Amino acid sequence: MKVIEKILEATAANDASRVVFSFEFFPPKTEDGVDNLFEKMERMVAHNPTFCDITWGAGGSTADLTLEIANRMQNMVCVETMMHLTCTNMPVDQIDHALATIKSNGIQNVLALRGDPPHGQDKFVQVEGGFACALDLVNHIRSKYEDYFGITVAGYPEGHPEVIHDGVASPEAYANELAYLKKKVDAGGEVIVTQLFYDTDIFLKFVNDCRQIGITCPIVPGIMPINNYKGFIRMTGFCKTKIPPEIMAALEPIKDNEEAVRAYGIHLGTEMCKKIMASGIRTLHLYTLNMDKTALAILTNLGLIEESKISRSLPWRRPANVHRVKEDVRPIFWANRPKSYISRTIGWDQYPHGRWGDSRNASYGTLSDYQFMRPRSRNKKLNEEWVVPLENIEDIYEKFTKFCLGNLKSSPWSELDGLQPETRIINEQLGNINSKGYLTINSQPAVNGAKSDSPSVGWGGPGGYVYQKAYLEFFCSPEKLNALVDKCKVFPFVTYMAVNKEGNLISNVIKSDVNAVTWGVFPAKEIIQPTVVDLSSFVVWKDEAFEIWSRGWATLYPEADPSRKLLEEVQSSYYLVSLVDNDYIHGDLFAVFRDI
């Protein structure tokens, strides 16, 4: 979806207090930095920003990394992504390569910039076969790609740094800047995001000046929170940003106290945003410098987010990719591995909308190394929590039990951090069955008409009610499976599917059955059923689930380690089992496990 459409949709509502926000990030220099960025990004995106953007890098120095990060943001983090694109050191063929790449990745938004001079140069020089300015780039994007891309352009409330002399742009230079900005908008720029500033009066005057010359598009203020004194001085010096004397007076006595500077930065950012919002501006763009706490603290102070009230439009994060934006049904099996699911379905011609049957016959992508790649920090946590000597099968039971009781924060079978809120509702029952050897990797409690804003099980829009059938997915030995199957004979509402690594299947469901296990009822909408259980997908998922025993856990041990051998024995002999209690009103799925 284009950023302009999202902004207009949000701000067109009758609620005049509705303010939307967005975040900017830059490509880190190291692999660890990239991993850390995505960890912070996941936390920030949970608060539903309108979009996030990623910078291109001085002189195109991070072009490939920017393209990779933009792809992951759009398709794995599932946030509407805007990619910066500059003219610096970029012949037209490289610009077209970048645009074609992001288009193929389902990205629709570009911030078109001339760009800073390459490192070591004082002035921008047009590269042979390239463009001289952002206006050329906007014209090119519109002429070649028509209306596919939403184009954002930069605005400079104090004037472009190149026209600022002795701290100020002359009236003539400032007027020329505004006229040039209007040309960019007239050529196809749909949104303006401004350069950083610390004098809000200058920004508000800039907005008024733009309106006076006929610029009517949204003008989004770029807010850069002060995180540390030296970085603040360096950035404002580079951008030739005016610093009001009261800000310097506040910073000077505390400049060597990083915590005090950060606290002041949060206070200043909050007050700046309050003044901007009071003027009627309903959009904010935060330059995060890849740091999450300060930006989130400002939004919390403004009442725009609450840590305890993170809303979800679906039980899983809705895709941002333009090709799958209508997708609203998924099998439950990948609930804890959403990135893996996206990677294995990324080539589908269509995605299920309304009911799973629309895409039931689509083929899943084969397993690859990608599904088993983990950020280094998660790998470190798994090593700390799961790589201990395993002398017998009970030691494995203990690991699963500890995770379900919240004593471990990681699991080889999950991309998510710790227990999810709905799991905590049933974590003691889960701990009990894990201690018996039913090793759970996925679950949900029964829900009968909970409000859609419930902090533990809620999803969807306001005023709705959500429902769930109790679901359990686990590994167990053939002996324990036989006992369970016998017990299920006295539970007519329980359906089960079980399969081992070799593909031997035991089930009481029909192959073509699709069982909706989550659904919601909302005002003025059809019933939404975003999560299903179906046999075909379960058989595909089992390969990945079993492979995690070896590639996700056993390989963390040395090759000859007895613990590794024990895990591989479990992998080759156990069954993966899926249980659904279809009586979501009176049922008790955990009763199946009593006395066995």
Side-chain angles (χ1 to χ4, degrees):
M1 193 171 181
K2 294 180 183 178
V3 165
I4 181 62
E5 294 168 353
K6 298 192 76 170
I7 289 175
L8 293 178
E9 181 182 284
T11 56
N14 292 329
D15 183 3
S17 64
R18 174 79 188 276
V19 175
V20 296
F21 57 88
S22 50
F23 301 121
E24 178 175 293
F25 305 100
F26 66 84
K29 295 180 180 179
T30 65
E31 287 185 26
D32 284 346
V34 172
D35 287 345
N36 290 335
L37 170 62
F38 277 100
E39 284 186 16
K40 292 176 181 177
M41 197 184 294
E42 290 279 1
R43 289 196 291 271
M44 299 178 82
V45 166
H47 295 284
N48 299 313
T50 307
F51 68 93
C52 292
D53 66 339
I54 182 73
T55 65
W56 188 249
S61 56
T62 62
D64 291 340
L65 183 56
T66 294
L67 289 168
E68 178 189 337
I69 290 174
N71 182 25
R72 286 178 62 181
M73 288 170 64
Q74 185 83 2
N75 293 300
M76 297 300 162
V77 181
C78 294
V79 62
E80 198 68 61
T81 300
M82 176 189 294
M83 190 188 76
H84 291 211
L85 188 59
T86 73
C87 304
T88 309
N89 289 339
M90 291 287 288
V92 174
D93 60 336
Q94 291 185 24
I95 287 172
D96 283 336
H97 168 73
L99 292 168
T101 299
I102 62 173
K103 183 179 180 183
S104 68
N105 290 332
I107 297 171
Q108 279 193 283
N109 296 289
V110 175
L111 177 54
L113 301 160
R114 188 203 69 180
D116 299 320
H119 183 68
Q121 297 184 24
D122 295 329
K123 292 184 178 181
F124 176 87
V125 177
Q126 181 180 356
V127 69
E128 185 176 349
F131 297 129
C133 59
L135 177 60
D136 292 347
L137 181 55
V138 173
N139 280 321
H140 176 74
I141 295 171
R142 275 287 172 258
S143 65
K144 182 150 188 174
Y145 295 92
E146 298 181 339
D147 290 330
Y148 175 82
F149 286 110
I151 302 176
T152 295
V153 295
Y156 298 86
E158 300 174 53
H160 192 282
E162 290 180 1
V163 303
I164 295 176
H165 303 288
D166 298 322
V168 66
S170 69
E172 182 183 1
Y174 178 74
N176 290 338
E177 286 287 309
L178 288 179
Y180 176 65
L181 178 59
K182 188 172 190 304
K183 287 181 180 179
K184 291 193 290 185
V185 172
D186 291 345
E190 299 165 332
V191 178
I192 296 168
V193 173
T194 76
Q195 173 77 290
L196 65 100
F197 57 88
Y198 290 98
D199 187 330
T200 50
D201 288 335
I202 288 177
F203 165 74
L204 295 174
K205 177 182 179 299
F206 170 75
V207 173
N208 184 62
D209 292 341
C210 287
R211 301 306 184 217
Q212 292 297 318
I213 64 169
I215 295 175
T216 60
C217 70
I219 301 175
V220 183
I223 308 296
M224 182 172 285
I226 301 173
N227 283 289
N228 65 77
Y229 181 78
K230 289 183 179 177
F232 167 70
I233 294 299
R234 183 172 59 251
M235 185 61 70
T236 52
F238 178 76
C239 297
K240 299 183 180 180
T241 307
K242 177 187 175 184
I243 307 174
E246 62 269 22
I247 294 179
M248 287 306 300
L251 284 172
E252 191 62 31
I254 60 172
K255 63 182 181 182
D256 296 322
N257 184 334
E258 194 161 313
E259 284 189 23
V261 170
R262 189 178 297 113
Y264 174 73
I266 293 169
H267 167 76
L268 176 65
T270 301
E271 294 306 308
M272 289 175 62
C273 291
K274 283 181 179 178
K275 186 172 181 178
I276 290 167
M277 290 159 57
S279 75
I281 302 290
R282 295 166 63 188
T283 55
L284 300 171
H285 186 61
L286 292 163
Y287 296 118
T288 69
L289 298 178
N290 291 2
M291 290 181 272
D292 57 337
K293 292 180 180 177
T294 304
L296 293 180
I298 291 171
L299 295 176
T300 301
N301 288 348
L302 295 170
L304 299 180
I305 65 172
E306 288 185 56
E307 285 291 342
S308 61
K309 292 186 179 179
I310 295 178
S311 62
R312 307 182 295 170
S313 61
L314 291 168
W316 31 272
R317 190 174 292 164
R318 184 181 286 279
N321 185 309
V322 65
H323 303 305
R324 64 190 301 167
V325 73
K326 291 185 178 180
E327 177 188 10
D328 62 6
V329 186
R330 286 183 183 175
I332 197 171
F333 314 116
W334 283 270
N336 294 323
R337 290 174 62 81
K339 293 180 176 61
S340 176
Y341 179 80
I342 291 170
S343 71
R344 297 192 67 182
T345 59
I346 207 161
W348 287 6
D349 292 331
Q350 60 175 338
Y351 293 91
H353 176 63
R355 65 188 186 92
W356 176 248
D358 292 340
S359 294
R360 191 168 67 223
N361 297 320
S363 60
Y364 289 88
T366 56
L367 284 174
S368 67
D369 289 342
Y370 179 84
Q371 281 80 38
F372 304 98
M373 292 171 62
R374 289 187 291 255
R376 295 187 186 189
S377 58
R378 187 171 295 279
N379 225 35
K380 181 181 178 183
K381 180 62 71 175
L382 284 169
N383 271 283
E384 291 172 354
E385 295 186 335
W386 290 75
V387 182
V388 297
L390 302 171
E391 296 181 3
N392 51 51
I393 192 66
E394 285 74 21
D395 289 344
I396 296 178
Y397 295 0
E398 183 181 7
K399 280 296 168 192
F400 280 84
T401 302
K402 283 185 173 181
F403 178 73
C404 289
L405 294 177
N407 298 324
L408 302 180
K409 303 301 181 186
S410 64
S411 165
W413 281 268
S414 179
E415 299 169 349
L416 311 177
D417 291 324
L419 294 180
Q420 300 308 294
E422 68 174 359
T423 309
R424 297 190 184 102
I425 298 172
I426 54 173
N427 70 325
E428 290 187 6
Q429 295 98 313
L430 290 171
N432 181 47
I433 67 171
N434 275 273
S435 67
K436 294 180 177 182
Y438 297 94
L439 309 177
T440 60
I441 60 172
N442 195 356
S443 62
Q444 70 178 30
V447 175
N448 182 23
K451 288 186 176 181
S452 58
D453 61 359
S454 163
S456 55
V457 298
W459 55 272
Y465 289 88
V466 296
Y467 301 80
Q468 293 181 174
K469 296 175 183 177
Y471 176 77
L472 289 173
E473 186 179 327
F474 52 87
F475 294 99
C476 70
S477 67
E479 296 76 21
K480 292 185 183 297
L481 174 62
N482 290 335
L484 190 71
V485 169
D486 284 342
K487 194 73 179 290
C488 283
K489 292 174 182 176
V490 296
F491 289 88
F493 289 102
V494 173
T495 51
Y496 60 84
M497 305 180 294
V499 66
N500 65 7
K501 189 173 186 294
E502 301 306 314
N504 298 314
L505 183 69
I506 301 170
S507 174
N508 67 348
V509 302
I510 298 171
K511 185 176 181 180
S512 59
D513 284 351
V514 177
N515 191 350
V517 291
T518 309
W519 64 99
V521 181
F522 302 92
K525 289 184 179 179
E526 294 184 357
I527 291 176
I528 302 171
Q529 51 171 50
T531 312
V532 299
V533 167
D534 77 296
L535 185 58
S536 299
S537 297
F538 179 66
V539 171
V540 173
W541 158 245
K542 68 94 178 171
D543 292 332
E544 185 170 335
F546 276 107
E547 196 70 11
I548 293 170
W549 281 100
S550 54
R551 297 176 71 174
W553 190 2
T555 53
L556 299 176
Y557 292 90
E559 193 164 339
D561 195 297
S563 298
R564 182 167 179 162
K565 186 174 185 296
L566 178 62
L567 293 171
E568 290 170 348
E569 288 172 357
V570 170
Q571 178 193 41
S572 62
S573 61
Y574 272 38
Y575 273 77
L576 176 68
V577 186
S578 165
L579 281 187
V580 178
D581 186 351
N582 294 283
D583 184 357
Y584 62 91
I585 299 175
H586 303 294
D588 179 5
L589 189 53
F590 291 99
V592 179
F593 297 89
R594 292 182 192 134
D595 304 321
I596 61 173

